[in-house]
Amino acid sequence: MKKIEAIIRPEVFGAVRDGLAKVGIAGLSISEIAGCGRQLGHTGLFRGNAYEIEFLPKLKLEMVIDDEKVDAIVEVLLRDAATGKVGDGKIFIYPVEQAIRIRTKEVGSIAVE
């Protein structure tokens, strides 16, 4: 099993969610986060005063999946999350040693289906 974490722009989430559903991913966790990287920040204006926005809003998607689905999910993320601009995000893939569904006590990949 693998855990995929993807940091994406909030405005592309609808397309990413639809793409993941088409490849059979029904369960994922989403967190609203803020971060900075090469995109840096930008200057905002509030009541005539300029201020720096250093951390921009992003979404972090997390899903634990079988090894054979990794390539399909990465393909969806690369296709649907890309705008071609700095700040499109990142994908991280980690090994998962074990998964256990608390309610049924199912162990392994059956627990994440």
Side-chain angles (χ1 to χ4, degrees):
M1 289 180 293
K2 301 282 190 232
K3 178 180 182 180
I4 297 180
E5 287 184 7
I7 310 297
I8 64 171
R9 295 173 182 268
E11 60 267 23
V12 300
F13 176 66
V16 169
R17 182 189 60 219
D18 293 344
L20 291 173
K22 287 178 184 171
V23 295
I25 302 304
L28 72 147
S29 298
I30 303 161
S31 303
E32 292 181 5
I33 61 171
C36 66
R38 289 187 179 171
Q39 189 179 10
L40 303 174
H42 63 275
T43 302
L45 192 62
F46 180 72
R47 295 187 180 177
N49 295 318
Y51 63 96
E52 288 294 318
I53 300 173
E54 295 180 24
F55 297 98
L56 299 173
K58 302 288 181 181
L59 292 179
K60 180 163 81 168
L61 312 180
E62 299 175 85
M63 59 203 97
V64 176
I65 47 126
D66 285 325
D67 291 340
E68 58 269 4
K69 292 184 179 181
V70 170
D71 292 337
I73 292 169
V74 169
E75 184 179 315
V76 166
L77 291 166
L78 291 174
R79 180 188 68 223
D80 296 338
T83 66
K85 299 176 186 168
V86 174
D88 277 348
K90 299 272 190 296
I91 301 169
F92 304 99
I93 303 171
Y94 308 99
V96 173
E97 188 173 320
Q98 188 63 279
I100 304 167
R101 181 174 285 142
I102 294 173
R103 178 179 55 87
T104 62
K105 318 264 186 302
E106 294 168 313
V107 177
S109 61
I110 192 89
V112 296
E113 291 180 353

